Amino acid sequence: MNQSSAYARILQERIADIDPLIERWSSDSLVLADSAGDEAEEYLERLKVIRAEMAGRLGRPDLQAREPGVATGSML
């Protein structure tokens, strides 16, 4: 495994870790009021940004040999 493939693998693992968090915080089952709701919304938006940044890095030409199952586009 070269450095690029190791980096791509780590990105894929982190994206896989973040996706369930985004799903959980986006679900209608989590309802927070007042400042807690505002903080939760900020947290969710930051998670989405981080995920998009990582997915964008997977699109680098030197990381094109990636494994299937991780979307590089916006799944949100």
Side-chain angles (χ1 to χ4, degrees):
M1 179 180 287
N2 65 30
Q3 186 175 8
S4 292
S5 62
Y7 180 67
R9 176 75 177 199
I10 290 169
L11 286 174
Q12 291 167 341
E13 290 172 359
R14 295 305 146 242
I15 289 170
D17 290 342
I18 288 175
D19 284 343
L21 291 173
I22 291 172
E23 186 175 323
R24 186 177 318 138
W25 283 85
S26 299
S27 74
D28 291 335
S29 64
L30 181 66
V31 178
L32 301 172
D34 301 323
S35 63
D38 294 340
E39 288 181 34
E41 187 64 32
E42 288 178 31
Y43 177 73
L44 177 60
E45 290 307 312
R46 183 63 186 136
L47 280 176
K48 289 178 180 180
V49 167
I50 291 168
R51 192 218 183 272
E53 288 172 357
M54 287 191 288
R57 290 178 190 167
L58 279 174
R60 291 181 13 197
D62 58 330
L63 299 178
Q64 289 302 311
R66 56 185 174 264
E67 295 177 7
V70 176
T72 56
S74 175
M75 292 178 39
L76 307 173

